[in-house]
Amino acid sequence: AQKVTQAQTEISVVEKEDVTLDCVYETRDTTYYLFWYKQPPSGELVFLIRRNSFDEQNEISGRYSWNFQKSTSSFNFTITASQVVDSAVYFCALTEDTGNQFYFGTGTSLTVIP
Amino acid sequence: GAVVSQHPSWVICKSGTSVKIECRSLDFQATTMFWYRQFPKQSLMLMATSNEGSKATYEQGVEKDKFLINHASLTLSTLTVTSAHPEDSSFYICSARGGGANYYEQYFGPGTRLTVT
């Protein structure tokens, strides 16, 4: 079973639109960590955020915001007023308490059209 | 802090030759490093977990004799693709696991793009 599901394979939005990238996870651990990474065409993974399972507070960082809801096992990522530079593949990932393995979602390719 | 480098960033080799990729943790010691492979438009797939001073643990379906991993020091792990074939062409990414209280973190290298002709 897929531990991290990103149902949206590709999304296209027009610049300045808001866009939400969905992430649903599955784990039996009570302690776990969720991550979002951005992968631009260069390939290097850019860390965006880490959240532990005990912190359900939503977070905002500039145009980025994250909504963590344990009740629905979701950790969604919203970009407000999207820009062309936001075009990239975004990965959601989960690691459990052992920290032995990162489980990556299949990624969502975001294209922001000028 | 927590910077991981990879060398080379890209390499082209002929079929049948071997290629070595280095992964270094520059400002911290990493007892555990991970190697991932990413094909175009796909997610990262874990190939193996490398622990300093011991044999690597390979994921199911990954040929250990083809992908040789050596983690000889706390700051260096190497992946050698032996007798490379065009189907081994891929983007290889390493990561280093954080230590102490940051055990759940993985710090990713910039990746190595391998093309086998």
Side-chain angles (χ1 to χ4, degrees), chain A:
Chain A
Q2 193 77 3
K3 281 191 175 280
V4 179
T5 301
Q6 294 180 255
Q8 305 149 308
T9 305
E10 296 181 355
I11 300 177
S12 290
V13 298
V14 176
E15 200 170 22
K16 297 184 182 177
E17 286 184 346
D18 298 348
V19 59
T20 295
L21 309 183
D22 297 333
C23 174
V24 174
Y25 63 92
E26 179 183 334
T27 180
R28 292 183 180 179
D29 284 15
T30 54
T31 302
Y32 53 90
Y33 302 85
L34 295 163
F35 301 79
W36 274 97
Y37 290 88
K38 174 182 181 180
Q39 188 177 43
S42 65
E44 183 166 1
L45 286 175
V46 177
F47 168 81
L48 297 178
I49 191 172
R50 175 190 66 248
R51 212 13 134 231
N52 73 55
S53 53
F54 299 108
D55 183 2
E56 272 194 270
Q57 279 191 327
N58 292 331
E59 180 154 338
I60 298 175
S61 177
R63 295 184 297 107
Y64 295 170
S65 62
W66 290 269
N67 185 329
F68 177 26
Q69 292 200 342
K70 291 176 74 172
S71 61
T72 56
S73 297
S74 65
F75 187 41
N76 296 337
F77 171 33
T78 298
I79 301 174
T80 303
S82 60
Q83 300 176 1
V84 173
V85 293
D86 296 328
S87 297
V89 179
Y90 291 86
F91 289 98
C92 180
L94 162 78
T95 190
E96 294 165 325
D97 196 27
T98 60
N100 283 336
Q101 186 169 350
F102 258 45
Y103 299 96
F104 281 92
T106 49
T108 297
S109 177
L110 173 65
T111 301
V112 181
I113 303 165

